[in-house]
Amino acid sequence: MQPTNFYRPTYAEIDLNQIKMNILNLKKHIHHCVQVIAVVKANGYGHGDLEVSKAALEAGASMLAVATPDEAIRLRLLGIESPILVLGASPPAFAVIASEHDITITVFQKDWFLHIPTLPKKLKIHIKIDTGMGRLGVTTESELSLLLQTIRQRPDVLIDGVFTHFATADEENAGQFKRQLAKFKTFLQLFPERPRCIHAANSAASLMHKDSLFDAVRFGISMYGLSPSAYVRDELPFQLGQALSLYTEVVNVKQLTEESTISYGATYTAEKDEWIATLPIGYADGMLRGLSGQEVLIQGKRMPIIGRICMDQCMVRLDGQVPIGEPVVLIGRQGSELISIEEWAQKLQTISYEIPCVLTNRVPRVYTS
Ligand SMILES: *Cc1c(COP(=O)(O)O)cnc(C)c1O
C-alpha cells in the first residue's frame, strides 16, 4: 500500500498483523497465566507507539510499557485506556499527574516520597530491583526494607508490581542470568504481601528462560519481529516476523562514463560505463553514512550503494538501465530476496534495536493489517 499524501516516495511500512502474530506466538509459547506487557517505548521502537499499542492490545497484551512519563501521557491523551507502566525514572513532580491519569510508575528510592503531597487518586507503582543490570533499582535488602516501610505509611500508594531487568538473557552463558534470577527471588521474600504483578523477562528471557516468566513478560524487540541477539535468533522457539519494511523509488538514472565520480569526496570512481540510480533517502532519514556499500533491492536483485550517503539522497550502481519510479526495497522483501534489519545492523556494527529507532520523523510510517 503506497501512501497517497506524501510527495516523496520514501516510507516505512509497518505490518501490524506481523506484530500481532509475534504476540500470539509468544502467548502460545509461555504459560496461559503469564501476561504480556507490550514495550512501546521510543515511539514503539520507531514503529509508531499508538498503532503498535492498539495492535498489541488487540492481540492480548494486558499492559503497555514506556520509558518516560511523557511517552505515557502521550498515549493517554491519544485515548489509550489500558494500564501503562513507565519503566524509567519518573520525577516526584509527576506523581500527581500519574495518579490522575492512572499511569503506573517505577519507584526505587525511599526519598522519592519526601515531597509528594497526598494524592488525589491511588498511585500505582512497581518497585524496581537492581539484581545486576546496574542501572535503576534497589540494590540491597535493607534499602528495600526501608522503601517498603516508607510506602506502608502512604495509603494513597499501591504496590501493584515488582520487577527486575536482565543484563545477559540473550547470551549463551547463563551464569549472570541465574545469579540475577536468584537475587530477585530473595528480594521477593521481603514483601509482606505478594504484589499483583511480578515480572522480570525481556524478549530474550521470555523466549529462552521459562524459569523467569513469573506473572508477566516485558516483550519488546521480538514483538517487532527482531531477535535480541544472534544467539537467540539461532535458538528461537518459534519464527518471528519482521514488521518493518523501508521503501523508496528511483528518482534519477544516468549512465556514467569511465572515471566519473559519485557523491561528496568523489570517493567512488566508475571503472567502466555504469548505470547509476539516485534514491531520495539519506542519513537525515536514518539511512546512516555507515551504510555505504549496503545493498538495496531493485527488480528483485541486490544493487550496492556507492559513494558517500548524503543527507537526503544516495546513489546505487545498477546492472543496467531501469525506469524512473522503479520501486526500491531498502529493508524488506522483493521477489525471493530479503534485506533484514539485522543485515543493516551488521553493516553498521550495531544491534538491530538501533535501526528502527533512528529512522527519523521525515520517513512516514504507513500501516497495513
Ligand atoms: C526496553 C526494556 C524492555 C524490553 O526489552 P527487549 O529486549 O526489547 O524485549 C524490558 N524491560 C525494560 C526495563 C526495558 O527497559
Side-chain angles (χ1 to χ4, degrees), residues 39 41 45 87 128 135 163 165 202-204 218-222 353:
V39 184
K41 63 192 180 189
Y45 292 40
L87 296 167
K128 179 86 188 269
R135 193 166 65 180
F163 73 110
H165 191 48
N202 53 4
S203 293
R218 301 187 303 276
F219 200 43
I221 194 71
S222 297
Y353 291 71

Side-chain angles (χ1 to χ4, degrees), residues 197-210:
C197 188
I198 298 173
H199 51 110
N202 53 4
S203 293
S206 50
L207 295 168
M208 313 294 294
H209 295 288
K210 285 214 163 170

Side-chain angles (χ1 to χ4, degrees), residues 9-246:
T10 301
Y11 65 101
E13 189 178 270
I14 318 295
D15 183 348
L16 295 173
N17 260 339
Q18 205 59 264
I19 289 178
K20 289 185 189 174
M21 283 303 296
N22 293 329
I23 293 176
L24 292 172
N25 284 331
L26 174 79
K27 282 174 76 85
K28 271 186 234 158
H29 173 67
I30 58 184
H31 193 272
H32 69 273
C33 297
V34 180
Q35 312 236 309
V36 176
I37 302 174
V39 184
V40 296
K41 63 192 180 189
N43 192 30
Y45 292 40
H47 293 64
D49 54 357
L50 178 63
E51 293 79 4
V52 172
S53 294
K54 286 181 179 166
L57 294 167
E58 279 172 31
S62 58
M63 188 178 215
L64 303 171
V66 294
T68 72
D70 303 84
E71 289 176 338
I73 289 282
R74 188 184 124 82
L75 288 174
R76 275 285 178 268
L77 296 182
L78 289 170
I80 296 288
E81 292 177 351
S82 72
I84 302 178
L85 170 64
V86 178
L87 296 167
S90 291
F94 185 61
V96 173
I97 300 146
S99 80
E100 278 170 349
H101 286 276
D102 194 20
I103 292 168
T104 309
I105 61 177
T106 295
V107 172
F108 45 89
Q109 294 154 341
K110 73 172 168 46
D111 289 352
W112 189 86
F113 290 96
L114 278 179
H115 303 291
I116 292 183
T118 301
L119 296 164
K121 293 184 189 156
K122 214 157 198 170
L123 174 67
K124 291 189 193 125
I125 63 165
H126 284 206
I127 293 182
K128 179 86 188 269
I129 314 288
D130 180 7
T131 54
M133 177 69 184
R135 193 166 65 180
L136 296 181
V138 170
T139 53
T140 64
E141 296 187 16
S142 60
E143 231 183 298
L144 178 59
S145 301
L146 289 172
L147 177 60
L148 290 173
Q149 269 174 37
T150 307
I151 297 170
R152 215 165 294 143
Q153 280 139 39
R154 298 286 312 217
D156 51 350
V157 173
L158 172 74
I159 303 176
D160 179 59
V162 53
F163 73 110
T164 192
H165 191 48
F166 296 116
T168 63
D170 61 346
E171 293 178 12
E172 183 167 11
N173 183 335
Q176 159 100 2
F177 169 82
K178 283 183 182 151
R179 281 190 294 279
Q180 286 197 246
L181 186 60
K183 181 170 176 189
F184 186 50
K185 286 178 178 167
T186 315
F187 275 57
L188 289 178
Q189 285 163 9
L190 298 180
F191 285 78
E193 278 167 67
R194 187 188 192 285
R196 180 193 66 87
C197 188
I198 298 173
H199 51 110
N202 53 4
S203 293
S206 50
L207 295 168
M208 313 294 294
H209 295 288
K210 285 214 163 170
D211 52 346
S212 70
L213 302 183
F214 298 98
D215 300 318
V217 298
R218 301 187 303 276
F219 200 43
I221 194 71
S222 297
M223 174 170 65
Y224 305 94
L226 306 175
S227 294
S229 67
Y231 170 68
V232 176
R233 180 199 58 213
D234 294 340
E235 303 282 322
L236 281 177
F238 57 87
Q239 191 148 8
L240 297 169
Q242 183 180 299
L244 183 141
S245 301
L246 184 62

